[in-house]
Amino acid sequence: MLYREALNRAIDETMAADGTVVVLGEDVGLYGGSYRVTEGLVAKYGEERLIDTPIAELSIVGNAVGMAMAGLRPVAEIMTANFSLLAFDQIINHMAKYRYMSAGKIALPMVVRFPQGVSRQLAAQHSESYEQMLSAVPGLIVLAAGDVNYAYHALKYAIMSDDPVVFIEHELLYNKKGEVDFDADIDPFKARIVKEGSDITIVSYLKMVDDVMEAVPQVEKELGKTCEVVDLCSLNPVDYKTLEASLKKTGRIVVVEEDHKTGGYGAQITSWAAEEMFYSLDAPPIRIAGEDVPIPYNRTLELAAIPTPEKIAKRIAEWGKTNGL
Amino acid sequence: MNKLLAEEIYYNMVLGRTFELAAKEHYMAGDISGFLHLDIGQEGFSVAAMKAFEKGDVFTTYREHVMAIARGMDPRAVMAELFGKAGGISRGRGGSMHLFDPSHFFYGGDAIVGGQIPNAVGCAYARKFQGSEDGVMVIFGDGASNGGAFFESLNIASAQKLPLLFVCENNGYAIGTKITRVAPFEKQAKKAEPYMMTKEVDGMDAVAVYEAVREAQELIQAGHGPVFLEAMTCRYEGHSMSDPGTYRSKEEMGICKSKDAIERMESYLKTMYGLTDTQLQGVQRRAQATVDDAAAFAAAAAEPELSELFEDVFCKERVNASF
Ligand SMILES: Cc1ncc(C[n+]2csc(CCOP(=O)(O)OP(=O)(O)O)c2C)c(N)n1
Ligand SMILES: [Mg+2]
């Protein structure tokens, strides 16, 4: 099953099971979604539950907040992270805060979904990632689907959750293939051990997990050691327990993120390692991240702006060698 | 419209379409990537609007290659930008959606729908402040007319009586969404009526567009405050190269293409100025040669240096001083 099909299935099943679930966004209905995530759903559930909105992101999220206040379970789709910026007021000032400000009287069972990240030559206004900003907002759950099985289970959870969820997808994952274990009991807040290893913990999320997996054989060959690869899955809250167990075993941690390094999300993980795990560390934690530049159109420059499997492998091997591996 | 101008507009329309067809081909061949939004079908509007609003600043969207060239940008620099080369107008960093050329007062590529409209309002304020008479034109789609940036801009521009020409290029669709499915009416000028003078023009008629934009610019220059022009157009291709465009019927497309602006301009030139088919073919050959040259230039142009990745994030002085 493809990643986008898994997402489609998750929405489909929750819509079938719960008549209060509605989907709203640009081209989500008749068009089937710009990444085909909502394909076929309008035929099943009608235009009242698959709401094609105008290009008005502030209203897409703002309306979803109102719908959720009134007892619906809206799933708002924003075409890409960059356009979510137009809705940041609604996401941060409204969606994230109503429960707290109302002393728990208002629940917002809603999801805002969007893809983010560098795709292929979409240039500066279509390539950004905003998990760092959104994870810094108390009151929002931020999930990042880097895997097909997780995407299915986590989105189902998110839609039925009574807390507002920002559900982040990646532009380049929609056609990723994977198995979905429909009967599995997946905890969406639990980090996923993608590969076990004993010497280096590599933490990542979204598409970078795949890039890390591509880099790992090279790292292991060069260092003669094994890597444990962790897909964080939930960016807020963070599954520190899983990270702690892994780090206690390996003593070394690398965080790989696609976004610009300064102020990036990975800093939360390395700072946690420094603060909480200092005495378990055998090497300084490092982050491998994108450059602090807007994403350029030219393909060579674009690839130079973000981590690639080659760059990840090279950096980890170098760091390993200078730190006793 | 005088003969010289009519010929100039016709040439640019043909050049525009030839350019877009070449861009499409090069996209399919892998020379161009990312989002490529073709202006095929809408060249009459794009060219005539640029030629009419000769002086003043122009803000527009990601569907801007034809406008950029009609505005005076070198087709070589535009094609090279689409190819992502250092010889491109944005040195390969912008791509198809971001063609900026302040030397032509052209800010041609906002890819955030509606995002350029408040910028145009600010620019109009600045021009008025600076004592310039030329005014500013902002072009956006029917889809953009549903966003907050649009409504806020109508209000501010009219409250401040700014020399701003709003031009809604209404092709009836925002990607796959027909305007009447998400707005209460087809014509977006209605939204501007409480704020300013509005006018509609057939966007498939270059001569009419030219006259309407001229007239509107004269009004804003005369201190009337903002004016709203709506041009009804039709795009022949999908929204971008990644859109198969299956939401429009053959019949709808047939009607739309029957109003072809280039053919219309050809009959105008024939009936008004007696141009012959041979003469028109001469223009087409000239356009083809220009586009072939632009594509050859783009193909041969150098890639940007890797160090350019870090250029122009900030001003040069700051970078040299390392902050
Ligand atoms: C704020 C924002 N939301 C969504 C998009 C995705 N998008 C790009 S173009 C487009 C349709 C725009 O339609 P319209 O304004 O009519 O312009 P047209 O493409 O028809 O010229 C959409 C939804 C975007 N670029 N920016
Ligand atoms: Mg449109």
Side-chain angles (χ1 to χ4, degrees), chain A residues 64-83:
Chain A
V65 167
M67 291 171 181
M69 289 167 88
L72 298 185
R73 289 189 176 275
V75 182
E77 176 178 298
I78 305 282
M79 276 186 183
T80 80
N82 283 77
F83 317 150

Side-chain angles (χ1 to χ4, degrees), chain A residues 27 31 52 121 125 297-298, chain B residues 82 84 92-93 111 177 181 243:
Chain A
D27 281 316
Y31 195 78
D52 276 326
Q121 294 191 260
Q125 291 182 325
Y297 167 74
N298 174 277
Chain B
L82 270 52
R93 292 204 292 263
T177 300
R181 294 188 60 239
D243 170 25

Side-chain angles (χ1 to χ4, degrees), chain B residues 175-234:
Chain B
I175 309 187
T177 300
K178 201 177 169 74
I179 181 68
T180 44
R181 294 188 60 239
V182 290
F185 30 71
E186 187 196 358
K187 307 284 172 71
Q188 303 309 298
K190 210 166 171 171
K191 294 174 178 170
E193 269 167 20
Y195 299 96
M196 61 194 74
M197 188 182 292
T198 66
K199 200 177 163 176
E200 184 188 322
V201 64
D202 179 356
M204 304 301 276
D205 180 349
V207 178
V209 170
Y210 181 86
E211 275 156 14
V213 172
R214 278 294 329 126
E215 213 175 278
Q217 188 175 26
E218 277 159 21
L219 281 171
I220 62 168
Q221 287 172 339
H224 258 261
V227 174
F228 192 104
L229 184 65
E230 179 159 25
M232 305 304 292
T233 65
C234 175

Side-chain angles (χ1 to χ4, degrees), chain A residues 26-27 55-57 78-80 82-84 86 125-126, chain B residues 37 39 42 61-63 97 110-115 140-145 169-177 179 235 239:
Chain A
E26 293 154 25
D27 281 316
I55 307 167
E57 287 78 7
I78 305 282
M79 276 186 183
T80 80
N82 283 77
F83 317 150
S84 78
L86 282 90
Q125 291 182 325
H126 281 74
Chain B
H37 306 83
D39 203 26
Q42 307 184 147
T61 68
Y62 44 84
R63 198 184 299 286
M97 298 193 285
D110 204 322
I112 301 301
V113 168
F140 49 87
D142 47 289
S145 321
E169 191 179 16
N170 188 339
N171 59 14
Y173 285 87
I175 309 187
T177 300
I179 181 68
R235 77 166 144 78
H239 169 73

Side-chain angles (χ1 to χ4, degrees), chain B residues 249-319:
Chain B
S249 68
K250 268 217 171 76
E251 196 193 353
E252 183 180 345
M253 289 315 297
I255 297 171
C256 149
K257 290 186 179 177
S258 70
K259 304 178 199 158
D260 190 74
I262 293 183
E263 284 171 16
R264 201 131 149 201
M265 201 61 194
E266 285 170 353
S267 25
Y268 180 85
L269 286 168
K270 282 181 183 170
T271 45
M272 292 292 289
Y273 297 111
L275 259 68
T276 63
D277 282 332
T278 327
Q279 282 171 310
L280 296 178
Q281 281 155 14
V283 175
Q284 291 153 12
R285 271 197 304 277
R286 189 152 65 89
Q288 188 66 54
T290 305
V291 170
D292 290 347
D293 168 75
F297 173 84
E303 288 273 317
E305 300 283 336
L306 217 50
S307 61
E308 289 201 29
L309 178 63
F310 301 98
E311 277 179 25
D312 303 314
V313 180
F314 295 107
C315 65
K316 289 221 160 40
E317 294 73 11
R318 187 181 316 281
V319 174

